[in-house]
Amino acid sequence: NEWQDVQRSQSATLSEKGIAGPIFVSIGDVDKMKTFLTQNPNIDEHNMFVDDYTFGAYKAAGFQSFTDVDQNDVKDVKMTAPNLSFSQWMGYFGNVMKVSPIPNDMKFGQVPEGVLRLGGTFVVKGDEILYQWNDRLPGDHPDIQEVLDIATTNA
């Protein structure tokens, strides 16, 4: 994950500039978050939070469900697979169901709303949003260097 690489390689620079991130918010519960953090040891557990299955934080941020996205907005999105090693892919496949936003009371055959939810990226300074990106598809994300440049320039 590119954000993990950023946190590992640039944490000192970000800290020197007073930048508290990256901070991650995902959908799920504490157990799923702990499993995710075990698989991603470069993420500081104090920078990871979970939104529950009512999606209050996601809705407040303006994030949509994949089913609500205008198909014209996604037709030109170029998706690429993450650059993972073989062992990282095996770890992913071995844990994807353990960390997926699927409530424990889900009935077989139902599509959990959590897997349809899209996320995004913010750069925030005080009460001001300096940058906002809303994902258009699962796995869509902004140019990470652009986000870092905005954060470090405005720190």
Side-chain angles (χ1 to χ4, degrees):
N1 178 312
E2 291 177 79
W3 284 116
Q4 292 174 47
D5 294 340
V6 166
Q7 188 167 23
R8 182 178 54 247
S9 66
Q10 298 190 23
S11 63
T13 302
L14 296 175
S15 292
E16 287 170 11
K17 291 188 172 266
I19 298 171
I23 296 173
F24 302 91
V25 180
S26 188
I27 298 169
D29 55 47
V30 172
D31 290 334
K32 290 177 187 295
M33 181 180 73
K34 287 179 181 177
T35 299
F36 177 83
L37 289 168
T38 299
Q39 294 300 311
N40 297 279
N42 294 323
I43 295 178
D44 182 341
E45 68 181 288
H46 298 99
N47 288 358
M48 181 78 192
F49 303 91
V50 290
D51 190 10
D52 65 21
Y53 297 109
T54 64
F55 316 109
Y58 270 56
K59 290 176 183 176
F63 297 147
Q64 298 180 322
S65 171
F66 174 69
T67 59
D68 298 329
V69 174
D70 184 333
Q71 295 306 302
N72 288 321
D73 292 341
V74 299
K75 67 181 179 184
D76 295 326
V77 175
K78 305 272 189 277
M79 299 297 290
T80 59
N83 185 18
L84 300 178
S85 68
F86 179 76
S87 64
Q88 288 171 319
W89 277 113
M90 291 296 97
Y92 170 79
F93 288 123
N95 286 287
V96 68
M97 292 308 295
K98 295 177 189 173
V99 298
S100 292
I102 301 171
N104 293 331
D105 61 351
M106 196 80 204
K107 303 279 190 277
F108 180 76
Q110 291 178 311
V111 176
E113 185 179 350
V115 301
L116 300 174
R117 284 274 158 193
L118 299 170
T121 304
F122 291 89
V123 175
V124 178
K125 183 175 185 179
D127 292 336
E128 183 182 359
I129 296 173
L130 303 176
Y131 175 88
Q132 179 175 351
W133 167 281
N134 287 32
D135 297 345
R136 299 163 290 179
L137 293 171
D140 183 28
H141 60 80
D143 179 291
I144 293 173
Q145 190 58 55
E146 178 185 357
V147 175
L148 286 171
D149 290 346
I150 293 167
T152 56
T153 300
N154 292 285

